[in-house]
Amino acid sequence: MIDISPSVMQFLLAFTMAAPLLGAVAALLPAPPGLKGRSPEQAVLRHGVTVTGVVLAAAIALTLGFDHDAPSRFQATTDISWIPALDVRIHLGVDGISLPLLLMTALLFFLCALYSYFKLPAGPSPKAFVALLLVLESGTLATFAVLDLLLFFLAFEMVLIPMYFLIARWGGAQRQAAAWKFILYTLLGSVVMLLGLLLIGLKSGTFDMVALATDNGRELTHTTQLLAVLAIGIGLAVKTPMWPLHSWLPDAHTAAPTVGSVLLAGVLLKMGTYGFVRILLPVTPDGMATFAPYLGAFAAVGIVYGSLACLALARKGNKGDLKRLIAYSSVGHMGFVLLGIASMTPTGVNGALFANIAHGLITGLLFFLVGALKDRYGTADLDTLAGATGAALYGRAPRMGALLAFAAVASLGLPGLAGFWGEMLALFGAFDPAEGLSRPAFLTYMAIGAFGTLLTAAYLLIVVRRVCMGDPKAGPELTVADIQRYEFAAWTPLVALTVLAGLWPAVLLGLTDPAVQKLLAGGNS
């Protein structure tokens, strides 16, 4: 920890959310003559790298100034009255739950901006691309930092339009249909979620998330809590995405540009699970306890469903798209997150938060790699890539082949890498759920989840065998570029953090555990 004054910490947190918005406005303005470089297009892309880099630096400074001895306490807080009639406040702050998500979000946006500087997806104006990317960053960062229910909803909704346009204008085949499906699903879920948030705020007399968490649902009747969990849970489950509300995700991922897929998997899905932890667990504990067995059941089905879908796509002759396969893998991985949350135990919730971060790092890396493969081979179709001899990455592009294999074994939960700890802790949480929950039911979910890990290993190893192995001399002569310098720069941080979190999980668990313990105790510990 570095000693930074509270006022500077407040500024850093507010800056991380405001700077991307200001940067988005600046991106639409003409570039000053001295900054244009070789072209205005290069100038605006460099502007995107600069803004996201400055935001990442502010997030790192915020992390260094964070009091790691008190991660359960909200820090860098700002609390200003905004709409007095409704008691809506501009209330900001971070604790051990939100800080890792804030930092990972800032990192992924910087890496995506850096990657786009060298590999801009085909589409209309680069200015619009950079502006949308920065608006998207502002909304996602705000979601993890606001402490007012209505502000949370506004930040939650702020990301929809930028992501819609990134898919619809810079995406691949079927992009219009995928973009419409994405926004219709998420908007309908959000409408229901807003009703639940209003119900909590009006019945309790405040929209302040800290006050509501401290009250721990004592001001809300059981019926109110049930209705609130049902309404808010549907909205969050769509964004997570939870089976069977997931069907927008594979289409959106398949059509999105590479950086769109990275951000969708690495950041946007986390907003849904974060809402479960930040709002529903502490504010409506009785309602969550009633619905937890059903949430666990949906999570367990999602784990197996996602894995079986991936196995089907990986089979020879099924014309499986690699991006679509990784999208379905996210349904399974987020199932572990939801299972940990459903257990309502410190172990399970810590596992869910750890799995959130691990999924963001590993799946972000996988989507970067598949995007690079598609650029080199002209397709992400697994049958075409494998062909008669296999894409033979080990022989044609050994560093890329090794990195794809690394990302695959990290995703299947190999011990020593980040993917292992979250899934294991989520299963441990299901093994011994919170008091009052049906242990036989959760033991069943744990067994199903454990079976899902075997299916996950199966389809990922099939992908590695079909894409990485094979004799490069047996097929037609094909020159495939190995990892480029800009790709190395964009991907190395994700590899390093995946190894660090796997070998030293206490770095993350030391932040989340005290905050989770306090959250589940209703702010009284």
Side-chain angles (χ1 to χ4, degrees), residues 362 365-366 369 402-412 460:
I362 297 166
L365 178 60
L366 277 169
L369 285 163
L403 194 54
L404 180 62
F406 168 84
V409 296
S411 185
L412 63 82
L460 285 167

Side-chain angles (χ1 to χ4, degrees), residues 283-298:
V283 178
T284 55
D286 294 341
M288 268 299 288
T290 300
F291 280 106
Y294 304 101
L295 180 62
F298 284 125

Side-chain angles (χ1 to χ4, degrees), residues 48 67 75 87 121 155 162 175 200 239 280 323-324 339 381 423 454 457 486 504 517 521:
D67 184 357
Q75 301 177 37
D87 192 29
R175 59 183 184 267
I200 288 176
K239 186 65 73 74
L280 293 185
K323 289 184 76 175
R324 196 172 190 85
L339 182 59
D381 180 78
E423 294 183 3
L454 300 178
Y486 72 91
W504 195 12
Q517 297 278 359

Side-chain angles (χ1 to χ4, degrees), residues 337-361:
V337 177
L338 290 171
L339 182 59
I341 293 169
S343 74
M344 297 184 70
T345 62
T347 302
V349 176
N350 274 307
L353 294 171
F354 201 106
N356 252 348
I357 299 296
H359 178 265
L361 298 172

Side-chain angles (χ1 to χ4, degrees), residues 188-420:
L188 287 172
S190 297
V191 169
V192 181
M193 184 175 77
L194 177 60
L195 295 176
L197 294 173
L198 290 173
L199 177 65
I200 288 176
L202 296 175
K203 288 291 186 180
S204 62
T206 181
F207 289 95
D208 187 84
M209 290 158 68
V210 178
L212 288 166
T214 303
D215 183 67
N216 204 216
R218 284 183 285 270
E219 291 292 322
L220 302 172
T221 66
H222 187 65
T223 302
T224 300
Q225 291 195 34
L226 286 177
L227 291 172
V229 171
L230 185 61
I232 298 170
I234 287 173
L236 297 174
V238 169
K239 186 65 73 74
T240 297
M242 180 186 80
W243 179 90
L245 303 174
H246 67 285
S247 62
W248 62 270
L249 183 73
D251 292 340
H253 269 309
T254 305
T258 297
V259 294
S261 293
V262 170
L263 295 174
L264 193 56
V267 180
L268 266 69
L269 303 191
K270 312 301 173 281
M271 294 164 63
T273 51
Y274 175 77
F276 275 104
V277 174
R278 177 64 75 205
I279 299 172
L280 293 185
L281 279 178
V283 178
T284 55
D286 294 341
M288 268 299 288
T290 300
F291 280 106
Y294 304 101
L295 180 62
F298 284 125
V301 172
I303 292 169
V304 175
Y305 171 85
S307 299
L308 289 176
C310 290
L311 272 173
L313 289 168
R315 283 183 60 190
K316 186 176 181 180
N318 281 3
K319 306 294 287 182
D321 187 286
L322 257 182
K323 289 184 76 175
R324 196 172 190 85
L325 185 147
I326 297 169
Y328 272 112
S329 80
S330 292
V331 176
H333 287 306
M334 299 313 286
F336 283 102
V337 177
L338 290 171
L339 182 59
I341 293 169
S343 74
M344 297 184 70
T345 62
T347 302
V349 176
N350 274 307
L353 294 171
F354 201 106
N356 252 348
I357 299 296
H359 178 265
L361 298 172
I362 297 166
T363 309
L365 178 60
L366 277 169
F367 275 117
F368 269 135
L369 285 163
V370 172
L373 271 179
K374 191 172 183 179
D375 290 337
R376 286 160 170 78
Y377 284 90
T379 181
D381 180 78
L382 197 51
D383 284 343
T384 307
L385 283 172
T389 62
L393 276 186
Y394 287 153
R396 290 183 172 133
R399 288 194 292 274
M400 180 169 285
L403 194 54
L404 180 62
F406 168 84
V409 296
S411 185
L412 63 82
L414 185 75
L417 297 175
F420 171 72

